[in-house]
Amino acid sequence: MGAIERNGYRFEPEFSVISQNGAIHVFHNGKFVDELKFEFSGKFPENDQIEDMVAQYCIRHGL
């Protein structure tokens, strides 16, 4: 999955299959503003899991 852009923010997911965890790095105007950590099982995180995390972040921060 590539980066997600919403309301001027860019959400860049990255993950480790070996560690079974990942993070979504949040940028605004090219500057890092936050990191959302998560865990998953399987070969990669589900796209729905990442989309839900981004949606919840946007709701919490009024984006």
Side-chain angles (χ1 to χ4, degrees):
M1 167 175 241
I4 300 168
E5 296 200 25
R6 300 252 173 94
N7 301 321
Y9 285 77
R10 184 175 176 89
F11 299 84
E12 298 181 1
E14 65 178 48
F15 59 91
S16 168
V17 174
I18 294 170
S19 299
Q20 295 286 280
N21 62 26
I24 301 171
H25 296 123
V26 184
F27 296 87
H28 186 250
N29 295 326
K31 294 182 182 180
F32 176 80
V33 294
D34 209 348
E35 178 180 69
L36 311 173
K37 294 182 181 182
F38 64 91
E39 295 179 356
F40 66 95
S41 60
K43 293 183 179 181
F44 53 86
E46 296 291 326
N47 288 342
D48 289 345
Q49 178 185 11
I50 293 172
E51 289 282 347
D52 287 344
M53 290 180 67
V54 169
Q56 289 300 314
Y57 183 89
C58 290
I59 289 168
R60 281 192 311 272
H61 292 88
L63 306 179

